[in-house]
Amino acid sequence: MASEHDDVIVIGAGVGGLSAAALLAAQGMRVKLLEAASGPGGKMRQLRCGEAHVDGGPTVFTMRPVFEAIFHACGARLDDEVRLHPATVLARHAWGDDRLDLFADRAQSEAAIGAFAGAAAARGYAGFCREAERLYTALEQPFIWAEQPSQVGLAWAMLRANAADLFSRRPFQSMWRALGDYFPDPRLRQLFGRYATYCGADPWQAPATLMLIAHVEASGVWLIDGGMVALAHALAGLAERHGAVLRYDAPVREIVVDRQGVAGVVLASGERLSARRIVCNADPAALAAGRFGASVTRAAPAMPAPLRSLSAMVWTTHSAAAGFPLAHHNVFFSGDYAAEFRALGAGHVPADPTIYICAADRASDGRAAPDGAERLQILVNAPARGDARALSPWEIEQCQARMIACLARSGLSLDLPPESTVLTTPEGFEALFPSTGGALYGRASHGSAAAFRRPGARTPIPGLYLAGGGTHPGPGVPMAALSGRLACATLLADRASTARFHPAAMPGGISTRRATTAASG
């Protein structure tokens, strides 16, 4: 017979919350998922732009095995739920008239780099790929898949596995400096330094270990029919098939705590729901700032503005683009990368920005351009100051004009009609995700210790667990999904301990080992 120990409330239908809800429901828990927005996805959202819906959040799908394991643990197959197509061109890069594609085929990328910057650059790329793979292999089990490792614990695990790893993984070197060992050409250093921005970080301050992101991307990028939001709907459907109740337009005002731990939530409407276990998929900064009540502020560390990751100016539009052969993923680099990050560090939108464009209607190789208007997401990095000062209409107009001028250097002309274009600024992201300033990736991955300062699944408050890109193992769609897996495993381990029994591994090999105490600071 079910008891209150089987009741779980999940706050937030981002990828972490959806993954936790599906996995917990598949384990027989009675799950209620509460989401403030009108549908699932969190940052993985679509916006109405005239006659089209355009992805306004993450656009890159990698680490497919993470999702295959989650669906398998819930008795389903990923391929039956979403339609995936492998990308042949990972991204198209431009510096004015200079262009370089990276390919899913590493040999093809190496040849392209050789033609672009010479044989020495091709050899440097080969060496870089080997190091990125070594980094990923060394850190995959003791960090990425682990339950909140400590810096000392990770060092010990690497020492036991391979002593050389501990001293050869550049733990105290910046990414930008490490890239100089492989890429004398500043354009290539820009290109591969951009992987730091996948975590919302500055390549001059990010640790060299983030080079492993290059290996993740080289291991496979997929395009999803219907956009990334299709993945969110698939996870939501998976949870519902196992009995989870998903409620949208249901913002949570307060997490209720009593002497035993969490006791439930109060919605903005005043409705109260009881549960002794809660998974919070909001940004940890919102907890620390009191957005869920004073009783749970100690559940996560505070996030001062200087520690935040980057935000962005994001234009989603259904409009015409001409003059440049867009691939699905495209990057147009600034003329002075160092000046761009100096401006961001000083709290300004750069005058000469690097621009990312996802052309959703293009195949990965860009050979077939759609007729007329197409769905585009255009992103420029911006400081996470959305809670301090709103950009003025003049500043927004200047930013858009500079963005269009930068694209014109590479021959791309854009039409951004107001009736089919939506701009989200840092203050817009702050409104969507309060207490973040608009930071899209939680805490900035700056310095060798930053990765260990993200909170883990377990909090100091009994029964309260965390998931999402602001928690361990970090930002990004697959990492957020892993955080939901870890929240599920930790909750079930605590439940088993309370009930004086220890269940075996979850289906699909998702372990229920006991997690260590979440780090703070």
Side-chain angles (χ1 to χ4, degrees):
M1 183 175 179
S3 71
E4 68 171 7
H5 294 290
D6 298 317
D7 291 332
V8 180
I9 288 173
V10 178
I11 301 172
V15 171
L18 289 168
S19 299
L23 290 167
L24 287 165
Q27 288 294 295
M29 305 295 285
R30 297 186 304 206
V31 177
K32 289 187 178 70
L33 189 153
L34 308 171
E35 167 57 48
S38 57
K43 294 185 178 73
M44 191 182 288
R45 63 197 184 110
Q46 282 190 337
L47 298 171
R48 180 68 180 256
C49 300
E51 299 178 354
H53 288 88
V54 184
D55 277 2
T59 59
V60 180
F61 182 82
T62 59
M63 296 182 72
R64 178 174 175 160
V66 169
F67 296 93
E68 289 175 332
I70 289 172
F71 278 83
H72 179 68
C74 297
R77 294 177 67 250
L78 176 66
D79 287 339
D80 293 336
E81 307 295 331
V82 293
R83 296 196 59 177
L84 301 171
H85 308 280
T88 55
V89 174
L90 300 181
R92 178 158 293 161
H93 308 87
W95 299 260
D97 293 331
D98 297 335
R99 296 176 192 169
L100 174 63
D101 288 354
L102 289 186
F103 299 90
D105 184 293
R106 180 172 143 183
Q108 198 173 356
S109 290
E110 189 172 335
I113 288 171
F116 179 78
R123 290 192 296 272
Y125 171 72
F128 168 78
C129 288
R130 287 191 294 270
E131 177 160 7
E133 183 175 5
R134 287 196 302 269
L135 282 166
Y136 183 85
T137 301
L139 296 173
E140 181 181 19
Q141 293 301 323
F143 181 80
I144 295 172
W145 289 84
E147 303 158 340
Q148 188 58 26
S150 68
Q151 202 164 9
V152 172
L154 176 62
W156 178 241
M158 292 177 68
L159 185 64
R160 285 184 298 171
N162 183 352
D165 283 341
L166 181 59
F167 303 103
S168 63
R169 298 300 167 244
R170 305 178 188 261
F172 305 111
Q173 195 173 53
S174 76
M175 188 175 189
W176 190 259
R177 182 179 174 187
L179 289 171
D181 292 346
Y182 298 109
F183 304 114
D185 189 312
R187 297 169 301 176
L188 294 178
R189 205 185 298 190
Q190 257 186 314
L191 190 162
F192 293 101
R194 180 168 168 76
Y195 286 117
T197 66
Y198 283 29
C199 299
D202 176 339
W204 277 267
Q205 299 184 63
T209 48
L210 289 185
M211 294 192 301
L212 65 82
I213 297 172
H215 177 69
V216 169
E217 189 171 82
S219 297
V221 172
W222 284 265
L223 311 181
I224 302 180
D225 282 358
M228 293 290 286
V229 74
L231 177 64
H233 284 284
L235 287 167
L238 191 65
E240 288 180 312
R241 289 201 298 273
H242 284 284
V245 175
L246 276 60
R247 293 180 56 179
Y248 302 112
D249 299 307
V252 172
R253 184 178 73 202
E254 181 184 0
I255 296 174
V256 179
V257 177
D258 62 18
R259 292 182 180 180
Q260 296 180 52
V262 295
V265 300
V266 178
L267 304 186
S269 64
E271 180 183 359
R272 177 166 177 158
L273 301 173
S274 298
R276 285 294 178 187
R277 291 178 174 85
I278 294 174
V279 177
C280 185
N281 184 212
D283 195 288
L287 282 164
R291 295 279 182 169
F292 294 96
S295 298
V296 291
T297 55
R298 63 189 179 93
M303 184 63 65
L307 298 182
R308 292 170 178 165
S309 63
L310 292 172
S311 186
M313 305 280 285
V314 179
W315 292 262
T316 47
T317 185
H318 187 231
S319 55
F324 180 94
L326 289 168
H328 194 89
H329 300 293
N330 310 268
V331 183
F332 299 82
F333 284 102
S334 69
D336 189 337
Y337 215 37
E340 178 178 357
F341 281 93
R342 284 197 299 269
L344 289 166
H348 307 301
V349 177
D352 182 14
T354 293
I355 303 158
Y356 165 77
I357 297 181
C358 176
D361 296 315
R362 307 265 182 149
S364 69
D365 58 10
R367 284 181 294 182
D371 294 327
E374 58 183 302
R375 294 173 298 158
L376 303 171
Q377 181 192 130
I378 306 161
L379 183 149
V380 169
N381 289 323
R385 303 290 180 88
D387 54 349
R389 186 182 71 86
L391 294 171
S392 69
W394 181 85
E395 288 174 307
I396 291 172
E397 182 180 335
Q398 289 298 302
C399 181
Q400 180 167 309
R402 290 195 297 263
M403 178 269 290
I404 291 173
C406 290
L407 294 174
R409 290 202 302 259
S410 296
L412 179 64
S413 62
L414 281 180
D415 177 28
L416 298 178
E419 66 274 11
S420 58
T421 302
V422 176
L423 170 62
T424 308
T425 63
E427 51 269 27
F429 286 116
E430 160 67 20
L432 290 167
F433 312 109
S435 302
T436 64
L440 298 177
Y441 314 90
R443 184 188 181 101
S445 298
H446 292 161
S448 61
F452 304 97
R453 292 182 175 143
R454 293 180 181 274
R458 186 181 287 108
T459 74
I461 299 172
L464 179 59
Y465 304 87
L466 304 182
T471 66
H472 174 75
V477 173
M479 298 302 182
L482 281 173
S483 78
R485 180 193 74 91
L486 292 171
C488 172
T490 306
L491 185 154
L492 291 175
D494 288 352
R495 176 176 176 268
S497 177
T498 301
R500 298 180 181 276
F501 74 92
H502 297 272
M506 291 172 58
I510 299 180
S511 169
T512 58
R513 292 176 299 158
R514 186 175 179 85
T516 56
T517 302
S520 62

